[in-house]
Amino acid sequence: MNLKEALWSKQSDSNEYPSPSSSSRRDPESEAASTAATNVVGELVNSLNKQRIYREVTLALRTGLRDARAEFSFLRVRGLRFLLKSLRSIAQSDSSIILFSHTQSIPDLQVVPVLFEHSFKETEDDRVENLDHIFTVEPMKINSPSTDAEVALALRVLEGCCLLHPESTRLAHQHKAIPVLMNVLSTRGVLEQGACLDALISIMLDSSSNQMDFEACNGIEEVAELIRDKQVDENLRLKCGEFLLLLKGHVNGMERSPMATISDDLRRLLGEESASLIWAASQFGSTLDPDQRLTALHIQARRVLESLDLY
């Protein structure tokens, strides 16, 4: 079979490419038209690429949320793992983050409400209000309780949503996020408690309503009690130290913060030396790269813990 030669492979009648002198004499209107055509093609490619990313983001959310709404915990765990993996992928690209933010304005794609309606449901008071279902012929719909792994994953997903999409903190407030998470902190195991402290920081960033809820729930007292208890797992106590450092340095860093008395509370609960260490550590580190900041945070949390253990 003989294929036709591609148009762009044909040369001129003289079988030679145009000389530089001839190309320099091209019509300015032709050059303008060529530039315009190139811009149009670039815009088309960008538009198609944006549509592709949007389809990938929405498909990932629909797939994960479908399982996250399931009746059985093992299915919800699968959905939460998929959502967490998707959020980590979304975080690698600014364009994906913007598209994710757009999806969270669509009720069917909102992640935060699903977390509180399913995975965190068992952390709330879930008492049976009546026994009408016993006297009916219709079977009662039963959801399996949330496992430790499910709650921990849901907390990581919540943290990711709030960091990528600050408006998710408002959705969390609507579902009474602070009381729910404080209940997790006081009743669940070490795995969930550590994830809970990270999630608390993320939902309080730039959210006065959540900060006020934290104050109302005596949140600082709860965390201080954990860090002072030498019977508590050491890694969890270190996580509490990191939480207090972040709370003082970032959440409380803005003017007129709802937690304006945090310094006084820390002196009262942890003593002058530990409170001074937390204050001093919160004043530095903003010029460090992320890895250095994380290392510095670990070191400062260890120093806070050592200052407490001396007394």
Side-chain angles (χ1 to χ4, degrees):
M1 181 185 299
N2 294 323
L3 298 177
K4 292 183 178 180
E5 187 178 8
L7 293 176
W8 57 80
S9 66
K10 292 184 178 180
Q11 298 180 355
S12 61
D13 294 337
S14 62
N15 294 326
E16 294 179 355
Y17 290 103
S19 63
S21 59
S22 63
S23 63
S24 63
R25 295 193 297 270
R26 286 190 302 178
D27 187 0
E29 293 184 0
S30 299
E31 286 201 10
S34 176
T35 301
T38 302
N39 292 337
V40 169
V41 171
E43 292 176 0
L44 177 60
V45 170
N46 290 335
S47 176
L48 292 174
N49 189 48
K50 183 177 180 180
Q51 293 178 22
R52 175 186 60 81
I53 296 174
Y54 185 79
R55 286 195 300 269
E56 291 176 354
V57 171
T58 54
L59 178 61
L61 291 176
R62 292 187 188 280
T63 302
L65 290 172
R66 180 191 60 207
D67 285 342
R69 295 187 181 101
E71 299 177 13
F72 300 103
S73 182
F74 76 93
L75 289 176
R76 297 196 296 270
V77 167
R78 184 175 70 182
L80 292 170
R81 284 177 177 159
F82 190 85
L83 286 173
L84 186 58
K85 181 180 178 181
S86 300
L87 291 176
R88 287 171 176 166
S89 177
I90 290 170
Q92 303 301 315
S93 166
D94 291 339
S95 59
S96 297
I97 294 174
I98 294 173
L99 292 175
F100 172 74
S101 298
H102 290 330
T103 65
Q104 294 309 287
S105 63
I106 303 173
D108 289 344
L109 296 178
Q110 289 177 342
V111 177
V112 171
V114 174
L115 300 178
F116 285 94
E117 291 166 5
H118 295 83
S119 295
F120 294 142
K121 187 176 181 181
E122 294 299 325
T123 65
E124 298 179 291
D125 191 4
D126 198 21
R127 294 173 296 184
V128 176
E129 299 295 336
N130 58 67
L131 301 178
D132 291 344
H133 64 277
I134 296 179
F135 304 103
T136 63
V137 294
E138 296 182 1
M140 182 182 180
K141 184 178 180 179
I142 299 177
N143 290 338
S144 62
S146 301
T147 61
D148 294 345
E150 180 183 346
V151 173
L153 281 169
L155 289 166
R156 293 302 180 190
V157 173
L158 175 63
E159 177 190 3
C161 286
C162 292
L163 292 177
L164 293 177
H165 178 236
E167 191 65 17
S168 289
T169 60
R170 181 184 59 81
L171 293 174
H173 176 68
Q174 293 176 357
H175 288 81
K176 298 180 173 56
I178 294 295
V180 171
L181 266 60
M182 293 308 299
N183 189 40
V184 171
L185 190 63
S186 61
T187 61
R188 288 282 183 169
V190 174
L191 178 66
E192 304 93 286
Q193 289 173 315
C196 184
L197 291 169
D198 291 333
L200 280 169
I201 287 292
S202 67
I203 67 175
M204 285 193 289
L205 284 173
D206 299 322
S207 176
S208 298
S209 56
N210 284 323
Q211 291 178 32
M212 288 188 288
D213 287 347
F214 186 72
E215 278 282 277
C217 291
N218 298 317
I220 295 179
E221 285 83 348
E222 293 283 344
V223 177
E225 183 177 349
L226 284 174
I227 197 174
R228 287 199 313 260
D229 189 352
K230 296 182 181 180
Q231 302 301 317
V232 171
D233 181 82
E234 184 177 4
N235 290 327
L236 179 59
R237 295 180 68 205
L238 284 171
K239 178 66 73 172
C240 289
E242 294 173 4
F243 173 86
L244 294 174
L245 288 165
L246 292 172
L247 190 70
K248 176 61 181 172
H250 296 277
V251 176
N252 187 245
M254 54 183 169
E255 296 181 359
R256 297 182 180 179
S257 169
M259 294 185 294
T261 62
I262 183 173
S263 296
D264 295 333
D265 292 336
L266 291 175
R267 289 192 200 94
R268 174 173 55 85
L269 296 167
L270 303 180
E272 183 67 36
E273 183 176 348
S274 298
S276 297
L277 277 174
I278 292 173
W279 178 87
S282 67
Q283 307 302 307
F284 303 99
S286 59
T287 59
L288 301 176
D289 63 48
D291 290 337
Q292 290 175 326
R293 284 201 298 268
L294 187 60
T295 301
L297 182 65
H298 292 330
I299 294 172
Q300 295 295 341
R302 171 67 65 182
R303 289 176 179 172
V304 171
L305 203 62
E306 291 172 351
S307 70
L308 287 170
D309 290 343
L310 290 175
Y311 300 96

